[in-house]
Amino acid sequence: VIFVSFNGFSDIQRWEQENPLGALCRRIAFAARRERNATFQEDFATADVKPAQIIKWLGRNPRILLIDELNLCTALSEKSNPSTDLASFLRVHFLEKENQYFAFSSHVISPVAKLCTYLDSVNDRSIAIRELPLIRNVLNATKI
């Protein structure tokens, strides 16, 4: 399981919007780091991590990619090469083959329509959109 976030400790920066695939690769590399004392801002925020490096690291291993706050990647709201590059990477390396999965969270539904278009491919998988319950306190959370 690979968890990345475009929010919080690894906010997506304005300059990264021009290369969302690079932004994702930096965050995957950060999630895969061996040095647990490393911080995203100090050690990975400007690293040049290529998709080929991530593909090599993934190998043929089963994988689940979880992306928090995908809506902050505003390039997905445009039909452009950077956004189609990101969608193609996600489709090929996290959806097309057996034991590859991809899920994301978003506070808004806007990136979903574009992403569905970009991820469209010839396979049996569907895209499921689920609204999660709003949990206002810990007591309510324990009742779910």
Side-chain angles (χ1 to χ4, degrees), residues 45-142:
T46 59
D48 184 22
V49 181
K50 305 281 189 223
Q53 293 170 294
I54 299 301
I55 293 164
K56 182 177 179 185
W57 175 74
L58 291 169
R60 294 179 182 228
N61 298 310
R63 62 200 73 150
I64 301 170
L65 176 63
L66 305 173
I67 300 178
D68 182 39
E69 296 286 347
L70 184 60
N71 57 290
L72 295 177
C73 185
T74 58
L76 289 176
S77 62
E78 307 161 5
K79 190 151 191 159
S80 62
N81 285 343
S83 52
T84 54
D85 291 346
L86 173 62
S88 176
F89 181 83
L90 291 171
R91 185 182 66 248
V92 170
H93 301 289
F94 292 96
L95 287 175
E96 283 188 340
K97 296 183 182 119
E98 187 176 357
N99 294 319
Q100 294 182 350
Y101 305 93
F102 164 58
F104 66 90
S105 71
S106 175
H107 285 224
V108 294
I109 206 155
S110 62
V112 176
K114 293 283 187 191
L115 195 60
C116 291
T117 302
Y118 296 146
L119 293 177
D120 189 26
S121 65
V122 183
N123 67 34
D124 299 355
R125 293 185 179 188
S126 61
I127 296 175
I129 301 171
R130 301 284 186 256
E131 185 174 337
L132 298 175
L134 178 61
I135 300 173
R136 297 197 185 275
N137 60 54
V138 176
L139 183 60
N140 287 347
T142 58

